[in-house]
Amino acid sequence: MLTGKAMGFWGLLSVVLLVQDAAGSVVPQARSSIVGGKDAPEGSWPWIAYLIITEDKGTFSCGGSILTEEWVLTAAHCVDPNNNPIPDLSYVRLGIHSLNKPSVFRRPISRIVSHPQYKKQRSELLHDIALVKLSIKVSFSSLVEPMSLPKPSDAFGPKSECWIAGWGNVGNDVELSGNRTLQELRLPIVKRRTCKEKFPGFTDNMMCAGSLDGGKDSCQGDSGGPLVCRSSGEFVQAGIVSFGHSKGCGVEGFPGVYTRVVRYLDFIQETITSDTQASAEA
Ligand code: ARG
């Protein structure tokens, strides 16, 4: 898996990251990841999914979140109809912590439903949301749980406690390595007015989050994964990792952009219920 070059890089970095603690002894620092995150404790993200998508052009990975025993929410650009994703050759892993270890479930995808108005427009993605259906239902446990959706009245702002997680790049063009353990990062929601100034095509269906000082961001491979925020005690899914500044991840002054899930509650509900009715009639 690791190329010689990547090994050399991390070897070097782990030397650099040996720092002295207060007592004066040398302790290794957790490697910084997502961009600026750390290893998530095992079982702390039971709703996260890892998607392997195969298209005509090749195979790549994305994040997602579990909504029901057979539906996973992700970004439409992960399963872009224009790139001809092949459901039979694509699959979802659930109940995973380190990518190098077995997951609780691995399911082929049987259906992909992208938002009908999903579109790439210049450097922005509109209606970047999709649902994928698993070929066989899964059962829930402490390691595999459904994610709660926000209430229509939920509003998330700079004071909300929000987190992202994923197995994406830990820096521009730097892949997650080692055991490839899920990375998590707490990050602030950025004021909508600021987001509009940063991204000219920013719409009411988007939200943005991250550090304006740079260094705290989602990155390539995290797409489709959940941005979760606390709403009256419980974590709900506020956003979906969508896109960022064209210069890369964790760029100073540029937060990441997320699909604003609360605007798509009807799309999600209708997709899932119409499918259930169709299968009941079949
Ligand atoms: N589009 C990327 C993906 O496909 C996610 C980019 C998020 N970028 C950012 N700077 N927040 O994985």
Side-chain angles (χ1 to χ4, degrees):
M1 279 313 281
L2 283 174
T3 65
K5 203 170 156 201
M7 283 278 252
F9 177 77
W10 284 119
L12 191 68
L13 202 66
S14 50
V15 173
V16 174
L17 289 178
L18 288 171
V19 294
Q20 288 207 317
D21 69 7
S25 52
V26 175
V27 289
Q29 284 271 54
R31 194 186 276 161
S32 103
S33 313
I34 255 203
V35 173
K38 59 173 170 40
D39 285 4
E42 188 151 17
S44 55
W45 290 77
W47 349 271
I48 204 156
Y50 182 73
L51 276 63
I52 307 285
I53 308 296
T54 296
E55 310 179 325
D56 290 346
K57 271 185 259 160
T59 295
F60 61 92
S61 65
C62 264
S65 56
I66 306 169
L67 293 186
T68 71
E69 290 121 327
E70 55 184 353
W71 286 98
V72 167
L73 187 64
T74 187
H77 81 263
C78 291
V79 287
D80 191 338
N82 303 312
N83 298 338
N84 198 19
I86 309 162
D88 287 352
L89 299 179
S90 302
Y91 62 94
V92 179
R93 289 175 64 182
L94 305 174
I96 6 168
H97 184 232
S98 290
L99 287 183
N100 295 2
K101 298 192 191 134
S103 33
V104 178
F105 295 107
R106 181 190 188 280
R107 290 280 191 265
I109 293 175
S110 65
R111 259 194 91 190
I112 298 172
V113 184
S114 296
H115 193 281
Q117 286 156 298
Y118 160 70
K119 187 159 102 179
K120 240 183 233 160
Q121 189 160 286
R122 290 178 293 270
S123 46
E124 278 120 15
L125 300 168
L126 304 181
H127 308 291
D128 192 12
I129 183 168
L131 286 154
V132 302
K133 191 182 179 185
L134 309 179
S135 59
I136 304 171
K137 282 188 187 180
V138 296
S139 51
F140 297 139
S141 62
S142 62
L143 294 178
V144 180
E145 277 177 33
M147 180 82 232
S148 301
L149 293 173
K151 294 190 284 292
S153 59
D154 274 342
F156 305 102
K159 293 207 185 94
S160 309
E161 182 194 339
C162 300
W163 293 78
I164 54 170
W167 294 273
N169 286 1
V170 297
N172 291 300
D173 299 320
V174 184
E175 285 183 15
L176 178 62
S177 58
N179 283 337
R180 299 194 297 158
T181 300
L182 179 66
Q183 299 295 307
E184 65 173 22
L185 170 70
R186 182 173 174 177
L187 79 187
I189 302 296
V190 176
K191 283 205 203 94
R192 305 193 63 78
R193 216 156 57 96
T194 311
C195 303
K196 277 192 192 119
E197 286 162 14
K198 305 282 179 184
F199 297 95
F202 189 82
T203 72
D204 283 349
N205 300 319
M206 301 169 185
M207 57 197 291
C208 80
S211 153
L212 292 175
D213 301 333
K216 282 186 178 187
D217 200 1
S218 43
C219 201
Q220 266 57 44
D222 292 320
S223 280
L227 164 70
V228 305
C229 300
R230 224 186 260 279
S231 158
S232 32
E234 182 206 25
F235 278 114
V236 301
Q237 186 168 356
I240 301 171
V241 178
S242 181
F243 65 92
H245 191 270
S246 56
K247 283 217 187 83
C249 315
V251 176
E252 191 184 326
F254 286 92
V257 183
Y258 297 78
T259 309
R260 195 177 176 192
V261 172
V262 74
R263 307 276 295 183
Y264 295 97
L265 297 176
D266 289 346
F267 166 72
I268 296 169
Q269 194 62 49
E270 277 161 26
T271 303
I272 295 178
T273 53
S274 67
D275 181 84
T276 311
Q277 276 164 10
S279 2
E281 280 156 20

